[in-house]
Amino acid sequence: MARPRGMPPELMGEPSDGPGEDAPDLPDPLAGFQLRAGTRGPRTTLTKAMIPIIAESLARTGVQRIAAARAGTTEDCLGKWLTKGRDAVARRKSSIYTELLFACEQAWAHRTGFLIGLGERTVVDRHANPRFLTWLLSVTSPKQFTVSREPAAQPHGGALGPAFELVSPEAAAKSVTEKLLRFLEEEDKRGAEPPEEAPPESGEAAPAEGG
């Protein structure tokens, strides 16, 4: 049987003996998971030993909550430590919080560069699908990877013409009566106007006005 067009060779295997093709094994969600025994609560004090754990997790996943959990703390604590680091940088001070901030910035930069590299590979690899990468970059770095679009000007009332205005029955009757009266007044004026005199025929002098 001919190989379908666009199908990579590594995905073309021998047919199985059963009624259908063999489905690939699903990934195990518990693979690599280890529950820390004896942990009574999250760490609320930043230590130097936690910084490389947080940075490595951010470089691998880009998710701050995952990085905090692997370091034994919470996302809220990690966010407060990063805020302290930014405040210290603004005051031109150095501390363990600025060290954490700089390590996280390097990790985020590495993660973004890695995703950009994968995206560039999709340009030359016709089997790669760039939709997940473009979505992930637009979510994690919206300022750099999201095109701002100005909303198109909508016509008054949308595409259905002028919008309807809700009025009371009394107001509607009054408006119709006023329009009808104006119409009758204009008709009366038009009927009272004298007919215009026809211009004299050529060769005839216009009658002189009596003096």
Side-chain angles (χ1 to χ4, degrees):
M1 183 177 63
R3 180 164 62 106
R5 294 184 60 185
M7 182 67 71
E10 58 270 15
L11 297 183
M12 295 296 295
E14 295 296 330
S16 63
D17 297 332
E21 298 292 334
D22 293 333
D25 295 334
L26 294 176
D28 183 9
L30 295 179
F33 175 73
Q34 294 179 354
L35 184 62
R36 295 183 179 181
T39 302
R40 302 184 61 180
R43 301 175 181 176
T44 57
T45 302
L46 177 63
T47 63
K48 284 185 174 292
M50 299 169 67
I51 294 178
I53 299 175
I54 295 172
E56 181 180 352
S57 180
L58 286 177
R60 182 178 298 275
T61 66
V63 181
Q64 191 167 310
R65 182 180 181 183
I66 298 177
R70 289 184 176 175
T73 186
T74 63
E75 183 180 7
D76 185 56
C77 284
L78 178 55
K80 291 179 180 179
W81 296 340
L82 293 174
T83 300
K84 290 182 179 181
R86 295 187 182 95
D87 293 340
V89 169
R91 290 183 284 106
R92 297 184 179 181
K93 302 291 184 180
S94 60
S95 64
I96 189 173
Y97 301 109
T98 57
E99 183 179 350
L100 171 67
L101 176 64
F102 188 62
C104 291
E105 291 291 345
Q106 291 186 68
W108 280 317
H110 172 83
R111 175 69 177 172
T112 303
F114 173 75
L115 294 178
I116 293 175
L118 288 181
E120 291 175 345
R121 285 180 55 185
T122 63
V123 178
V124 296
D125 187 356
R126 60 189 179 93
H127 302 303
N129 191 339
R131 285 182 292 181
F132 174 74
L133 293 174
T134 54
W135 169 82
L136 189 58
L137 286 171
S138 65
V139 171
T140 55
S141 302
K143 292 183 180 180
Q144 290 79 18
F145 299 98
T146 301
V147 180
S148 59
R149 297 181 179 179
E150 296 182 358
Q154 295 292 333
H156 184 64
L160 302 177
F164 290 98
E165 182 180 359
L166 297 178
V167 295
S168 63
E170 294 78 7
K174 180 180 179 182
S175 177
V176 172
T177 303
E178 292 177 353
K179 291 182 180 180
L180 179 59
L181 292 176
R182 286 198 300 268
F183 172 77
L184 294 176
E185 290 177 359
E186 293 176 359
E187 287 295 320
D188 292 341
K189 291 179 181 180
R190 192 176 295 110
E193 292 178 357
E196 297 181 358
E197 297 181 357
E201 296 181 2
S202 58
E204 295 182 1
E209 296 181 357

